[in-house]
Amino acid sequence: MADLGQPQNTIAILKKYDFTFQKKFGQNFLIDTHVLEKIVDAADIGKDDLVLEIGPGIGTVTQYLCEAARQVIAVEIDRQLIKILKDTLSAYDNVEVINEDILKVDIAALVEEKNSGKPIKVVSNLPYYITTPIIMTLLEKRVPVTDMTLMMQEEVARRMQAVPGNKDYGALSLAVQYYSVPYIAAFVPPNCFMPRPNVGSAVVNLKCHEKPPVEVNDDELMFKLIKASFAQRRKTLQNGLTNSAELDFTKDEVTEAILKMQETLGMKQNPLIRGETLTLKEFACLSDILS
Ligand code: SAM
């Protein structure tokens, strides 16, 4: 089958099937072989791997995955693409296409059924509207996944990788870094897609931790503290945590906890710090003191 990473081959398939792009499904198909190679390299796929692809489109990334992996499961929501995929993936007997909304798929059950519960890899040129929900679902539910290699908006990629003191640092950075190590493998300009998106994209590899890098008694409370701290970025941590509707601490309790956290971690005593300066370890310590 012709390499769909070559724009003329993608155009020929779209014409052959009289395909109409569905904006609501975030359809931006890749048309650049270098980017496809970068994705497969970043995913580090071997012949033992089972790969879950979210949103195969016309099968462009899928073809590359089929060459590299033992088996590929591709979940595509758009029914009009299923017959196209039958055609473009006809050369491969190691791929299964499922016509379903990935947000409705029980991925843990799928891993159990297709890979006897052994960890899989996830690869996707993500439809941007589900980037955060799908990543957070996979991470929080601790679905057996070794790593995910995902194309996403550049701005979201930068937020995932950001560290304290960086303007992109926020609740998403901490949530992603609690479960994985994010690494931006490539920046991808709009002209690598058809149609072109309005913003730049990036390929991110998230290597999932077997165990989180910090220990915390109640990670739900820690994430509530994180959310409250960044909801009011300009406020002090003290005010952010006292004014949150989801938390029920007095200003004195919060102040005392901040000072205790700083003492425990050998930091300078300052009750007026901002949440955006705190590391994951500091949030974990604060959470343990408040819990
Ligand atoms: N993988 C193809 C490529 O790189 O050329 C297509 C990528 S395109 C950005 C996103 C794909 O995800 C589209 O094919 C779209 O129909 C599909 N999609 C959108 N929402 C989905 C969902 N909830 N579940 C499964 N697939 C979805």
Side-chain angles (χ1 to χ4, degrees), residues 195-269:
R196 294 179 184 198
N198 295 327
V199 291
S201 305
V203 177
V204 179
N205 177 263
L206 302 176
K207 224 165 246 6
C208 302
H209 292 304
E210 278 177 25
K211 215 171 101 216
V214 297
E215 276 186 34
V216 60
N217 296 333
D218 179 354
D219 58 12
E220 222 172 280
L221 172 64
M222 179 178 75
F223 282 114
K224 277 191 190 159
L225 297 177
I226 290 171
K227 218 169 118 197
S229 309
F230 287 97
Q232 296 165 309
R233 243 190 140 89
R234 306 209 153 268
K235 294 209 167 155
T236 60
L237 180 62
Q238 209 181 33
N239 282 336
L241 299 188
T242 315
N243 295 340
S244 162
E246 278 197 63
L247 297 168
D248 193 20
F249 299 115
T250 64
K251 195 160 186 164
D252 284 349
E253 283 169 336
V254 169
T255 309
E256 206 178 297
I258 293 173
L259 292 171
K260 179 106 191 282
M261 178 268 289
Q262 290 168 334
E263 188 195 326
T264 310
L265 298 176
M267 298 160 70
K268 206 171 94 201
Q269 298 271 286

Side-chain angles (χ1 to χ4, degrees), residues 50-54 71-75 95-96 98 110 114:
L50 185 142
V51 178
L52 167 66
E53 188 192 3
I54 300 164
Q71 206 193 340
V72 180
I73 312 276
V75 178
V95 59
E96 181 183 342
I98 300 173
L110 193 74
K114 307 286 182 191

Side-chain angles (χ1 to χ4, degrees), residues 11-19 87:
I11 291 166
I13 284 289
L14 298 177
K15 274 211 176 114
K16 178 175 172 188
Y17 289 94
D18 196 18
F19 178 79
D87 179 359

Side-chain angles (χ1 to χ4, degrees), residues 5 7 15 23 43 56 67 89 119 150 166 170 182 205 243 248:
K15 274 211 176 114
K23 220 175 169 171
E67 294 286 344
L89 301 176
L150 309 165
N166 184 301
N205 177 263
N243 295 340
D248 193 20

Side-chain angles (χ1 to χ4, degrees), residues 111-241:
V111 177
E112 188 58 47
E113 183 197 332
K114 307 286 182 191
N115 211 34
S116 313
K118 288 199 294 286
I120 62 161
K121 285 179 182 270
V122 175
V123 176
S124 179
N125 170 13
L126 282 170
Y128 293 156
Y129 77 105
I130 58 167
T131 305
T132 315
I134 189 68
I135 294 175
M136 290 322 297
T137 303
L138 286 164
L139 292 174
E140 282 170 356
K141 293 203 170 152
R142 297 182 195 261
V143 177
V145 168
T146 55
D147 66 291
M148 310 186 207
T149 304
L150 309 165
M151 179 83 75
M152 62 186 74
Q153 290 184 22
E154 187 180 323
E155 173 241 325
V156 181
R158 289 190 191 278
R159 287 197 313 184
M160 288 187 181
Q161 219 192 15
V163 293
N166 184 301
K167 69 173 173 34
D168 297 319
Y169 187 59
L172 182 68
S173 325
L174 285 154
V176 165
Q177 292 169 27
Y178 180 64
Y179 295 104
S180 70
V181 181
Y183 165 70
I184 298 181
F187 290 103
V188 183
N191 63 0
C192 296
F193 301 88
M194 185 186 293
R196 294 179 184 198
N198 295 327
V199 291
S201 305
V203 177
V204 179
N205 177 263
L206 302 176
K207 224 165 246 6
C208 302
H209 292 304
E210 278 177 25
K211 215 171 101 216
V214 297
E215 276 186 34
V216 60
N217 296 333
D218 179 354
D219 58 12
E220 222 172 280
L221 172 64
M222 179 178 75
F223 282 114
K224 277 191 190 159
L225 297 177
I226 290 171
K227 218 169 118 197
S229 309
F230 287 97
Q232 296 165 309
R233 243 190 140 89
R234 306 209 153 268
K235 294 209 167 155
T236 60
L237 180 62
Q238 209 181 33
N239 282 336
L241 299 188

Side-chain angles (χ1 to χ4, degrees), residues 25-30 53-58 60-61 75-78 81 100-103 125-127 129-130:
F25 291 146
Q27 294 176 335
N28 300 95
F29 298 162
L30 265 168
E53 188 192 3
I54 300 164
I58 59 171
T60 313
V61 181
V75 178
E76 173 56 60
I77 197 169
D78 185 354
L81 286 166
E100 186 55 274
D101 176 350
I102 191 67
L103 298 173
N125 170 13
L126 282 170
Y129 77 105
I130 58 167

